[in-house]
Amino acid sequence: MKIIPTNIPDVIILEPKVFGDSRGFFFESFNQLAFSKATGLDVQFVQDNHSRSAKGVLRGLHYQIQHPQGKLVRVTHGRVFDVAVDIRRSSPTFGQWEGVELNAENHRQLWVPAGFAHGFVVLSDSADFLYKTTDYYAPEYERCIAWNDPAIDINWQYDGEPQLSGKDKQGLLLKDAELFA
Ligand SMILES: Cc1cn([C@H]2C[C@H](O)[C@@H](COP(=O)(O)OP(=O)(O)O[C@H]3O[C@H](C)C(=O)[C@H](O)[C@H]3O)O2)c(=O)[nH]c1=O
């Protein structure tokens, strides 16, 4: 597994070793020991999620104010631009965002620590988005930050108008949101 640092020290890109042959390919999509050795992180995952979205769908920017979730995210079909925003007030990278294209060809995964808001926009006709979380879904504590908050100024790499859920259309600006310490 290859570790690729990003501009935010705690946000990490992982590239698994892919074994290709005449049948296709194989790779370990997750290995607890390899993950811990490569990242130095001692985290346990408790939930696996899978969502499918059409082109232009933007999910996020979500986080949980209690039971914050670390997320290890990847794409098994299509292409997405995936974004993590540091919303830890005490962080030197508070308010900064990091984005990476995840797709079924590069097999890249992104580690998004607890304390970050997370979202993605679909660049292909459709995309399957799979991810592991370090705590359980707690909808009563889920919050949303506006995808287009000018204070964060994310370049989503998507030219069209994104399709948002009702919840995401009501995302708060960073300055008005409940944040982490
Ligand atoms: C997240 C989640 C949702 N649900 C149910 C609740 C709704 O009835 C339905 C769709 O939920 P929602 O529209 O919140 O799904 P997303 O917009 O993909 O939410 C996710 O989007 C961004 C990208 C994230 O990083 C979060 O993991 C998560 O908030 O699934 C569950 O039953 N369990 C869950 O863990």
Side-chain angles (χ1 to χ4, degrees), residues 17 87 96 122 136 143 155 173-174:
K17 181 170 177 53
I87 58 173
Q96 289 184 28
V122 177
Y136 294 103
R143 302 294 185 271
N155 175 0
L173 297 179
L174 186 63

Side-chain angles (χ1 to χ4, degrees), residues 47 49 59 62 69 71 118-120 131 137 142 167:
Q47 190 174 313
N49 297 331
R59 296 178 185 250
H62 301 161
Q69 298 171 307
K71 297 167 188 168
H118 172 252
F120 65 87
Y131 56 112
Y137 176 54
E142 188 175 63
K167 169 183 73 176

Side-chain angles (χ1 to χ4, degrees), residues 50 74 78 89 92 96 102 125 137 142 150 165:
H50 181 166
R74 67 191 181 107
R89 289 183 188 283
Q96 289 184 28
L102 305 176
D125 288 340
Y137 176 54
E142 188 175 63
S165 67

Side-chain angles (χ1 to χ4, degrees), residues 3-176:
I3 299 294
I4 302 170
T6 70
N7 293 319
I8 299 179
D10 296 328
V11 177
I12 303 168
I13 298 167
L14 300 90
E15 281 188 352
K17 181 170 177 53
V18 180
F19 300 91
D21 62 27
S22 60
R23 298 168 297 172
F25 68 76
F26 175 92
F27 69 97
E28 293 183 355
S29 52
F30 179 72
N31 176 307
Q32 181 70 59
L33 183 59
F35 177 82
S36 298
K37 285 176 73 173
T39 63
L41 294 167
D42 179 17
V43 295
Q44 302 297 319
F45 296 98
V46 297
Q47 190 174 313
D48 273 351
N49 297 331
H50 181 166
S51 67
R52 176 172 294 169
S53 308
K55 184 167 189 171
V57 166
L58 193 155
R59 296 178 185 250
L61 295 153
H62 301 161
Y63 62 103
Q64 293 186 166
I65 198 68
Q66 296 292 330
H67 305 288
Q69 298 171 307
K71 297 167 188 168
L72 182 61
V73 305
R74 67 191 181 107
V75 166
T76 57
H77 170 78
R79 300 167 51 225
V80 312
F81 189 72
D82 196 76
V83 173
V85 181
D86 191 349
I87 58 173
R88 303 166 300 180
R89 289 183 188 283
S90 60
S91 168
T93 54
F94 173 74
Q96 289 184 28
W97 67 275
E98 181 61 66
V100 60
E101 179 169 329
L102 305 176
N103 62 56
E105 280 69 45
N106 66 24
H107 304 295
R108 279 185 163 187
Q109 303 181 10
L110 187 67
W111 164 245
V112 180
F116 282 69
H118 172 252
F120 65 87
V121 67
V122 177
L123 305 175
S124 50
D125 288 340
S126 75
D128 280 58
F129 191 84
L130 281 67
Y131 56 112
K132 309 175 83 69
T133 64
T134 59
D135 208 334
Y136 294 103
Y137 176 54
E140 68 275 31
Y141 294 119
E142 188 175 63
R143 302 294 185 271
C144 181
I145 289 175
W147 67 280
N148 56 353
D149 186 338
I152 308 171
D153 194 26
I154 296 168
N155 175 0
W156 285 96
Q157 313 284 318
Y158 180 70
D159 296 334
E161 188 62 26
Q163 297 177 58
L164 303 170
S165 67
K167 169 183 73 176
D168 292 349
K169 287 177 181 171
Q170 296 166 9
L172 292 177
L173 297 179
L174 186 63
K175 67 181 179 62
D176 301 322

